[in-house]
Amino acid sequence: QVQLVESGGGLVQTGGSLRLSCAASGSTFTLNAMGWSRQAPGNERELVATVSRSGSTNYADSVKGRFTISRDNAKNTVYLQMNSLKPGDTAVYYCNANTIFSHVYWGQGTQVTVSS
């Protein structure tokens, strides 16, 4: 099994920055691609960013140029640097991890609130 623990959420003003962290434990030798998703009240869950084990990244159009996903394989940790935050970024952000066995694990979520 893989356990994911997220941290770094909080309340910021428009234009501010936050850095989310997601630390994996357990069967970390099985980790493959990792990513971040978000869900706001009344909205569908949205895939925000992904990063492969080799470091290749992909972003939703809504965050491209503002968010950066990265990972430290030695620390089994994935990060999401969020800059130029907007009220529309307000959501619960979830870390996910894919394994080489095609299992998907999810973190507990961390709240990000951007005030105008």
Side-chain angles (χ1 to χ4, degrees), residues 7-8 10 40 42 46 49 52-53 56 58 63 77-79 85 100 105:
S7 61
E46 175 188 23
S52 71
R53 187 168 182 84
S56 298
N58 200 13
V63 307
T77 301
V78 63
Y79 306 94
L85 284 163
I100 58 176
Y105 296 87

Side-chain angles (χ1 to χ4, degrees), residues 34-82:
M34 301 181 73
W36 291 91
S37 297
R38 66 186 182 185
Q39 187 167 24
N43 291 2
E44 298 177 356
R45 185 172 61 184
E46 175 188 23
L47 181 63
V48 173
T50 61
V51 57
S52 71
R53 187 168 182 84
S54 63
S56 298
T57 59
N58 200 13
Y59 299 91
D61 288 340
S62 59
V63 307
K64 195 170 297 182
R66 300 187 297 120
F67 291 11
T68 302
I69 188 171
S70 61
R71 67 190 293 170
D72 186 335
N73 291 332
K75 296 182 178 180
N76 301 126
T77 301
V78 63
Y79 306 94
L80 186 67
Q81 178 67 47
M82 305 184 294

